Amino acid sequence: MSGDVTRIHTGKPENLTERFAHRAAYMHPSEIRSLFAVASRPDIVSLAGGMPNLTALPMDLMSNVIGELVSKNGMEALQYGSGQGHPKLREQICDMMALEGIRAHPDDVIVTTGSQQALDLISRIFIDPGDVVLAEAPSYVGALGTFSQYEAKVVHVAMDNDGLIPQALREAITSTRASGKKIKFLYLIPNYQNPMGVTLPADRRTEILEICHSEGIFVVEDNPYGLLGFDKPSPNAMRAEDSENVIYLGSFSKTIAPGFRVGWALVPQSLKEKLVIASESSILCPSNFSQLAISSYLADQPWRDQIASFTKLYKTRRDAMLESLEQHFPAGATWTKPGGGFYVWVTLPPEIDTKALVPKAIVAKVAYVPGTAFYADGFGSWSMRLSYCYPTPERIREGIKSLGGVIKTEMELRGLN
Ligand code: PMP
């Protein structure tokens, strides 16, 4: 279609990309998206995507909430609304954040179309081409995609099983500054991290906040999984300790449902105006319909119990995955043991290229995301992310058994056992 339009104007075919803005060159499909077509085949056990498991959501209740919303308050729900987000929902968001120790005012909350939009807005406001964003190594693929579209250079900071390492952060700041580049913010996911599944302990949170505060670097705390802890609550949010220097991102995608596309940013007062203006220019206002559906659901339904049924479901699946990893993965493979969320991160011997292994896994009817997807710099080739959120425990066991077989064969081929 666009090719035809080009021909009409010029009389001859031309390369449309020449007309694109410079930044379009940084718009690539994510590795996860290109995997999706295969991974969603019914014969494949997909440990690839991170889709919330909506079998635990009571659809009859949700249907009542939505039906009532339209019949009783349709004039508002189906109308345009405030660019900053509905005031009632912003209050409820503050109540929810209080569960993680955050004391916030609804005035400082901006409702967004998923937290993904908040990532986009923050990037738009802060990043000039060539600026540096510090991010965990590995980090959330959707955030890396956004940073790259704004032409940021992502500098990864080393992690261990307790998340980001404060000393590595100090070193990354020093070396980045020595190279003359500007650091715009540190992006991190302190709870049940995507993709590693690890959680940052309280003392590290404090240390990281102190480093960023003294270096004048904003912290972007992305926390979609924080309420999905299996055995104990996650430590208090970083925003609970520092309201001046932390931009906090939340989402209803994992605690209610991603189809509503409702998330939020809680920002220092000095940033609010810019964020609202940026958001209005991209979406005018977040969906009143989705916001009010969530607001009524939170007001009238036992949403804490709902979160508890999600965590129960995910915990059973996490257990199935960890047990079958023990059973079926070869010596030489190591993996994280998440206390919540959706993901396990597996590290194999460095000789194994997990991207090259995907076709063999697909033949064995299992899919995963190769580690390189979670790095901006091509690192991670011998690791993989396994999601346990979606398949049944039986399918997870089946998938891990097949994948263990594929990895063992590959290691034998390379003389690694
Ligand atoms: N941040 C992280 C760490 C995520 O895993 C996701 C979704 N997978 C998002 C942000 C975006 O979520 P949403 O836009 O649905 O709120």
Side-chain angles (χ1 to χ4, degrees):
M1 167 78 188
S2 44
D4 292 347
V5 172
T6 311
R7 233 182 310 261
I8 289 164
H9 286 305
T10 62
K12 60 179 170 44
E14 73 177 63
N15 184 357
L16 190 57
T17 56
E18 281 167 15
R19 297 183 174 205
F20 287 162
H22 186 249
R23 75 182 75 86
Y26 296 86
M27 297 172 182
H28 306 293
S30 80
E31 294 200 31
I32 297 192
R33 210 177 84 194
S34 28
L35 251 176
F36 256 152
V38 184
S40 53
R41 269 172 32 198
D43 59 323
I44 305 277
V45 179
S46 178
L47 309 173
M51 284 201 299
N53 197 317
L54 298 184
T55 56
L57 193 70
M59 291 300 174
D60 47 343
L61 287 185
M62 193 52 89
S63 155
N64 291 344
V65 166
I66 291 173
E68 274 199 23
L69 172 64
V70 176
S71 62
K72 294 194 178 148
N73 195 14
M75 293 298 276
E76 186 183 11
L78 301 179
Q79 191 49 276
Y80 288 118
S82 142
Q84 188 178 349
H86 199 280
K88 175 149 185 241
L89 182 64
R90 287 191 278 115
E91 268 173 38
Q92 290 165 308
I93 285 172
C94 289
D95 295 342
M96 208 166 185
M97 290 190 295
L99 297 177
E100 293 182 273
I102 295 177
R103 289 177 53 206
H105 196 280
D107 264 1
D108 299 330
V109 173
I110 295 128
V111 180
T112 53
T113 300
S115 52
Q116 191 67 36
Q117 193 214 351
L119 283 167
D120 185 73
L121 298 176
I122 291 162
S123 303
R124 181 135 53 101
I125 290 168
F126 282 104
I127 299 170
D128 282 321
D131 284 346
V132 166
V133 171
L134 301 171
E136 291 155 311
S139 184
Y140 167 50
V141 61
L144 295 179
T146 304
F147 302 151
S148 135
Q149 289 196 20
Y150 287 96
E151 301 173 54
K153 176 175 165 37
V154 172
V155 172
H156 286 289
V157 183
M159 299 169 78
D160 59 19
N161 284 342
D162 283 330
L164 191 98
I165 303 168
Q167 185 52 26
L169 175 62
R170 285 192 192 89
E171 287 162 16
I173 295 171
T174 308
S175 60
T176 303
R177 294 227 162 114
S179 73
K181 294 213 176 277
K182 275 192 204 153
I183 301 172
K184 286 302 172 77
F185 52 82
L186 165 69
Y187 168 74
L188 84 178
I189 306 153
N191 297 315
Y192 323 123
Q193 199 243 12
N194 182 0
M196 275 190 80
V198 300
T199 295
L200 200 63
D203 54 345
R204 276 200 189 179
R205 293 180 191 223
T206 307
E207 196 175 346
I208 291 167
L209 285 170
E210 281 167 4
I211 296 170
C212 288
H213 188 87
S214 68
E215 296 287 347
I217 296 170
F218 276 118
V219 174
V220 177
E221 174 180 31
D222 188 8
N223 189 30
Y225 305 99
L227 295 179
L228 298 181
F230 298 149
D231 301 310
K232 54 176 188 209
S234 54
N236 270 354
M238 297 173 84
R239 167 58 174 74
E241 257 187 83
D242 185 342
S243 58
E244 290 304 308
N245 208 42
V246 177
I247 299 168
Y248 174 97
L249 309 185
S251 174
F252 290 109
S253 289
K254 276 83 185 184
T255 49
I256 301 182
F260 288 114
R261 307 304 302 128
V262 177
W264 68 91
L266 169 65
V267 300
Q269 250 166 16
S270 52
L271 290 179
K272 186 191 102 181
E273 179 82 349
K274 274 274 182 270
L275 229 83
V276 174
I277 295 169
S279 183
E280 284 171 344
S281 98
S282 68
I283 60 164
L284 285 185
C285 63
S287 156
N288 247 6
F289 179 75
S290 287
Q291 291 181 87
L292 287 171
I294 287 183
S295 176
S296 315
Y297 184 83
L298 293 175
D300 303 334
Q301 306 299 330
W303 58 270
R304 285 183 176 77
D305 296 348
Q306 176 56 44
I307 293 178
S309 36
F310 274 130
T311 51
K312 190 166 162 230
L313 177 144
Y314 294 130
K315 186 178 176 191
T316 313
R317 283 160 171 76
R318 187 254 344 233
D319 290 344
M321 182 170 277
L322 292 182
E323 279 160 25
S324 37
L325 281 166
E326 283 294 343
Q327 256 179 310
H328 300 294
F329 266 39
T334 56
W335 52 88
T336 54
K337 315 231 162 26
F342 289 5
Y343 311 106
V344 169
W345 181 253
V346 176
T347 307
L348 300 174
E351 293 85 349
I352 305 291
D353 179 344
T354 55
K355 197 167 175 182
L357 209 60
V358 168
K360 292 183 186 173
I362 297 294
V363 171
K365 305 220 176 305
V366 57
Y368 61 84
V369 186
T372 45
F374 306 97
Y375 288 86
D377 54 11
F379 198 79
S381 63
W382 58 93
S383 44
M384 57 173 68
R385 188 191 75 177
L386 303 178
S387 322
Y388 49 80
C389 45
Y390 201 72
T392 60
E394 295 67 39
R395 294 276 282 163
I396 290 173
R397 288 196 186 91
E398 223 177 276
I400 294 291
K401 186 172 177 197
S402 311
L403 188 54
V406 171
I407 294 169
K408 272 183 206 156
T409 308
E410 191 69 14
M411 285 176 63
E412 275 159 20
L413 266 174
R414 291 167 190 281
L416 291 171
N417 358 20

